[in-house]
Amino acid sequence: QVQLVESGGGVVQPGRSLRLSCAASGFIFSHHGMNWVRQAPGKGLEWVANIWNDGSKQYYADSVKGRFTISRDDSENTLYLQMNSLRVEDTAMYYCARDVYNGVFDSWGQGTLVTVSS
Amino acid sequence: EIVLTQSPATLSLSPGESATLSCRASQSVSSSLAWYQQKPGQAPRLLIYDASNRATGIPARFSGSGSGTDFTLTISSLEPEDFAVYYCQHRSDWPRPFGQGTKVGIK
């Protein structure tokens, strides 16, 4: 069955960097676009970034544009989120989600928690 | 950017009652709208896509309707496991924000 497992979260100081990973299994990874979605403590869902199945296009929320980079390694079935210049407001649970039908998120990981604090 | 506004913010109902949740888009998204359910401590789950199509394994008591700017998620007879937060999201353009959510709580 489809499985998405995020890792790489932790506590980091403002201005520092962190890279999240999402290991995918149970499906043909290269056939699907992928997304990162985050949720600040006690808040709603915020779409963060998307990458097409072939890696040719990436899209970002305005709140992370220029600071975060989404990428993928199809040989490792892994999705990444490089987060630079982290801010306190980036504190959230970060989920990866599989994309079907160009924008429908049918499978989600359990998330990895990022805390940005001095 | 297309903004999605959900109402009400909170709905207090009893098991067996029906729930009607609304999602309004700031401009037309055609039928490109999905609904997700999230329970505390869990990842979101896809319920409905393209306004009215139930995702795999979703019970028939969940139904979606609407097009353009106004959408509705209806839960026909609430089961105990349906008390959760529900989010809408469009895929009409970039970026693809979620609505702010509607919490369906037990009365």
Side-chain angles (χ1 to χ4, degrees):
Chain A
Q1 73 281 18
V2 175
Q3 192 168 11
L4 300 169
V5 179
E6 301 93 338
S7 61
V11 181
V12 61
Q13 293 179 326
R16 304 298 290 266
S17 298
L18 205 59
R19 189 178 80 157
L20 306 183
S21 300
C22 170
S25 60
F27 65 101
I28 302 174
F29 184 67
S30 61
H31 286 191
H32 291 271
M34 295 294 295
N35 297 268
W36 287 99
V37 176
R38 69 183 181 184
Q39 186 169 37
K43 303 297 184 183
L45 300 174
E46 180 186 14
W47 172 79
V48 172
N50 166 274
I51 186 167
W52 282 22
N53 65 310
D54 61 1
S56 62
K57 289 188 185 294
Q58 303 85 37
Y59 297 92
Y60 298 93
D62 288 345
S63 58
V64 307
K65 200 174 294 181
R67 299 188 299 123
F68 289 12
T69 302
I70 188 172
S71 62
R72 62 190 297 154
D73 183 341
D74 289 353
S75 67
E76 297 288 334
N77 291 340
T78 302
L79 175 73
Y80 299 101
L81 185 67
Q82 178 66 45
M83 305 186 294
N84 298 333
S85 303
L86 281 162
R87 305 168 180 168
V88 171
E89 54 265 34
D90 295 320
T91 294
M93 183 71 77
Y94 284 74
Y95 298 100
C96 64
R98 186 177 79 163
D99 201 310
V100 296
Y101 313 137
N102 186 23
V104 176
F105 303 169
D106 75 327
S107 298
W108 297 66
Q110 284 305 301
T112 187
L113 182 62
V114 173
T115 302
V116 184
S117 173
S118 55
Chain B
E1 174 179 337
I2 298 173
V3 176
L4 299 177
T5 302
Q6 293 186 238
S7 62
T10 304
L11 208 48
S12 295
L13 296 167
S14 300
E17 290 190 300
S18 67
T20 302
L21 286 66
S22 173
C23 178
R24 176 164 289 177
S26 59
Q27 62 191 78
S28 177
V29 298
S30 185
S31 295
S32 300
L33 189 105
W35 291 93
Y36 298 86
Q37 176 195 65
Q38 188 180 32
K39 299 177 183 179
Q42 296 186 16
R45 176 175 73 146
L46 175 67
L47 295 177
I48 301 285
Y49 65 94
D50 289 351
S52 60
N53 297 291
R54 272 190 303 277
T56 302
I58 301 303
R61 64 180 180 274
F62 291 91
S63 63
S65 63
S67 66
T69 60
D70 290 298
F71 299 86
T72 300
L73 174 70
T74 302
I75 312 171
S76 60
S77 178
L78 284 162
E79 297 286 341
E81 61 268 27
D82 299 336
F83 292 93
V85 181
Y86 293 84
Y87 297 92
C88 59
Q89 186 198 24
H90 77 83
R91 63 181 185 93
S92 177
D93 198 356
W94 300 99
R96 293 183 172 170
F98 292 86
Q100 80 276 25
T102 291
K103 181 178 181 179
V104 178
I106 300 176
K107 191 173 182 181

